[in-house]
Amino acid sequence: MPLEVLLAVLFGALLHAGWNALVRAAPEKLPDTVLIVCGAALLGAVGLPFLEPPASASWPWLAASVLLHVGYFAAVASAYRHGELGFAYPLMRGTAPVLVTLAAAAWLAEWPSATGAGGIALVSCGILLLAHDGWRRGRLHRHTVRFALANAGVIAAYTLVDGIGARLSGQPFAYTAWLFVLTAPVLFAAALPLHGSRLWSGWRRWPRGLLGGACTLAAYALALWAMTRAPLALVAALRETSAVFALLLGTLWLREPLSRSRVVAVGVVAAGAMAIRLA
């Protein structure tokens, strides 16, 4: 993997962990998730006049991605309602790279090299070790596990859909901007019947929405750009190093405990990232 792609994905992973930490720290998980997505949509709309539009071939993939992302953001909020960032986040992200690898091999004939496959396996194992640590300390909550594992499948699906869509678009940054512009109103309308008053009152926290929106917009734009330069499975696995950043944010900001097994898991993920760099 080219160095510039590696660095872009790692920076995007840090941004992705950042907006997830904002949701985990929020008193109202789904309203604040909607606020962040709306912030991303606003920033994306500002940038659209300066970007070439995506090619027409990518729009069916973009439409499918909007529906997948509505489910994804709802599941993120549900998983964090009861679970620690350091447990729910790795569980969501750890199984997705394996699913993306299998799907990309079957659908796109993108078979990773032995080194790449080893890196994917190490990243996934390290991330799942982070989740296992939460289970061992009695932080397991069936609600969190259910939504986190369901979201792993959604993550794999939208990664494959958007990887193909971004390549067809010829304009991954414009594709990302349109994705959030179209997702925000659908997500808002879906959440309105259950959280109407809290959605409207949440606009008082607009700085949080813009900050989180900037993080998620930039993180996904970098990921989709990387998928136009490298195999989907490698980018998907490397992107999940965000679990390491989530662990650090959970420890430093949310005061979640840091155990020896979590430190070992970080080392395993780092080894996987190095293998992907060499693939």
Side-chain angles (χ1 to χ4, degrees):
M1 178 180 290
L3 180 60
E4 65 273 15
V5 175
L6 176 83
L7 294 177
V9 176
L10 289 177
F11 181 59
L14 172 61
L15 295 175
H16 192 276
W19 81 259
N20 274 260
L22 285 173
V23 173
R24 178 63 183 89
E28 297 286 350
K29 305 300 187 268
L30 184 59
D32 273 60
T33 300
V34 174
L35 183 65
I36 286 171
V37 175
C38 289
L42 177 61
L43 294 172
V46 170
L48 280 177
F50 306 98
L51 300 170
E52 291 292 328
S56 58
S58 67
W59 284 91
W61 300 93
L62 187 57
S65 181
V66 168
L67 298 179
L68 288 169
H69 271 85
V70 169
Y72 163 73
F73 286 119
V76 164
S78 296
Y80 289 148
R81 190 169 296 125
H82 301 286
E84 286 183 345
L85 180 68
F87 173 70
Y89 192 97
L91 195 58
M92 277 190 288
R93 312 301 304 193
T95 50
V98 176
L99 297 176
V100 172
T101 301
L102 296 174
W107 198 345
L108 304 175
E110 286 189 2
W111 294 92
S113 65
T115 303
I120 292 168
L122 283 172
V123 169
S124 294
C125 288
I127 293 170
L128 290 176
L129 182 58
L130 290 174
H132 171 75
D133 179 75
W135 172 81
R136 184 180 57 81
R137 292 184 297 104
R139 301 288 180 169
L140 177 67
H141 193 287
R142 283 181 293 178
H143 179 93
T144 300
V145 172
R146 183 167 61 249
F147 278 99
L149 290 179
N151 222 12
V154 176
I155 290 166
Y158 77 59
T159 298
L160 188 65
V161 166
D162 284 334
I164 296 172
R167 291 175 178 179
L168 291 173
S169 74
Q171 299 290 335
F173 295 113
Y175 181 98
T176 308
W178 273 112
L179 173 61
F180 282 96
V181 167
L182 295 174
T183 299
V186 179
L187 181 62
F188 186 89
L192 193 59
L194 295 176
H195 302 276
S197 60
R198 284 175 288 180
L199 284 179
W200 295 117
S201 63
W203 295 110
R204 292 193 297 268
R205 300 189 298 277
W206 63 267
R208 174 190 291 266
L210 287 180
L211 175 61
C215 287
T216 187
L217 179 66
Y220 206 48
L222 289 171
L224 293 189
W225 172 81
M227 289 178 192
T228 67
R229 301 292 194 277
L232 295 187
L234 295 184
V235 174
L238 189 61
R239 188 170 183 248
E240 306 318 341
T241 57
S242 56
V244 174
F245 297 117
L247 170 66
L248 296 175
L249 289 171
T251 301
L252 299 175
W253 181 23
L254 304 177
R255 304 303 179 187
E256 296 176 1
L258 179 64
S259 65
R260 282 182 293 180
S261 62
R262 289 188 173 190
V263 174
V264 171
V266 169
V268 174
V269 171
M274 291 176 63
I276 290 172
R277 169 67 181 93
L278 297 173

